[in-house]
């Protein structure tokens, strides 16, 4: 029963997020294209790993993106896309491929979150 209530609440919250007007998307400051995006993303992901040398990371080329959350009116603009990673845990076994979303602006990661 609790799961159903949580799902309903999430649907209601996500349904309230309005898309940005096209003129705001077109006039936003995304920053310069990050030529070294692979290195930036890999460094950010490896920073929290037990065995960073075991990481198998696949980074897609960035596109102009924006992140807007349902709980805040803040909108972040930058260059981003998906990345997948598989790495070893403390027992030496690979944990399985996980998908993340990244957003880079002015050569720095401003958002990196796991995509469920």
């Amino acid at each position: 029963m609790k799961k159903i209530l949580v799902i309903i609440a999430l649907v209601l919250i996500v349904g309230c997020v309005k898309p940005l007007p096209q003129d705001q998307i077109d006039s936003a400051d995304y920053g310069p294209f990050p030529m070294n995006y692979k290195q930036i993303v890999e460094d950010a992901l490896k920073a929290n790993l037990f065995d960073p040398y075991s990481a198998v990371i696949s980074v897609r080329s960035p596109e102009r993106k924006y992140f807007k959350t349902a709980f805040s009116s803040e909108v972040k603009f930058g260059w981003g896309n998906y990345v997948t990673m598989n790495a070893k845990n403390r027992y030496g076994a690979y944990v399985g491929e996980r998908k993340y979303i990244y957003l880079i602006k002015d050569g720095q990661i401003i958002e990196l979150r796991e995509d469920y």
Side-chain angles (χ1 to χ4, degrees):
M1 184 66 175
K2 286 183 182 181
K3 287 183 182 180
I4 293 172
L5 293 175
V6 169
I7 291 172
I8 291 172
L10 287 174
V11 168
L12 291 174
I13 290 170
V14 172
C16 295
V17 177
K18 296 179 184 176
L20 291 179
Q22 190 62 38
D23 62 330
Q24 186 179 359
I25 293 171
D26 294 338
S27 65
D29 176 24
Y30 294 90
F33 182 84
M35 298 302 285
N36 60 338
Y37 67 91
K38 286 184 181 180
Q39 190 65 46
I40 293 169
V41 174
E42 287 177 1
D43 289 348
L45 287 170
K46 288 180 178 181
N48 297 318
L49 294 178
F50 175 73
D51 184 3
Y53 299 105
S54 71
V56 178
I57 300 172
S58 174
V59 183
R60 286 185 173 180
S61 179
E63 302 170 351
R64 289 183 176 192
K65 298 275 186 198
Y66 68 89
F67 285 175
K68 181 178 178 183
T69 62
F71 305 109
S72 170
S73 61
E74 181 184 16
V75 180
K76 297 179 182 179
F77 293 93
W79 294 87
N81 213 329
Y82 291 99
V83 58
T84 57
M85 181 180 69
N86 193 2
K88 290 183 179 180
N89 60 16
R90 292 182 185 273
Y91 300 108
Y94 279 94
V95 296
E97 194 169 85
R98 294 192 177 165
K99 194 174 189 180
Y100 297 86
I101 302 171
Y102 69 89
L103 192 65
I104 298 172
K105 186 170 183 180
D106 298 326
Q108 295 182 344
I109 293 278
I110 60 171
E111 191 77 37
L112 180 63
R113 57 174 103 149
E114 192 166 0
D115 185 34
Y116 297 101

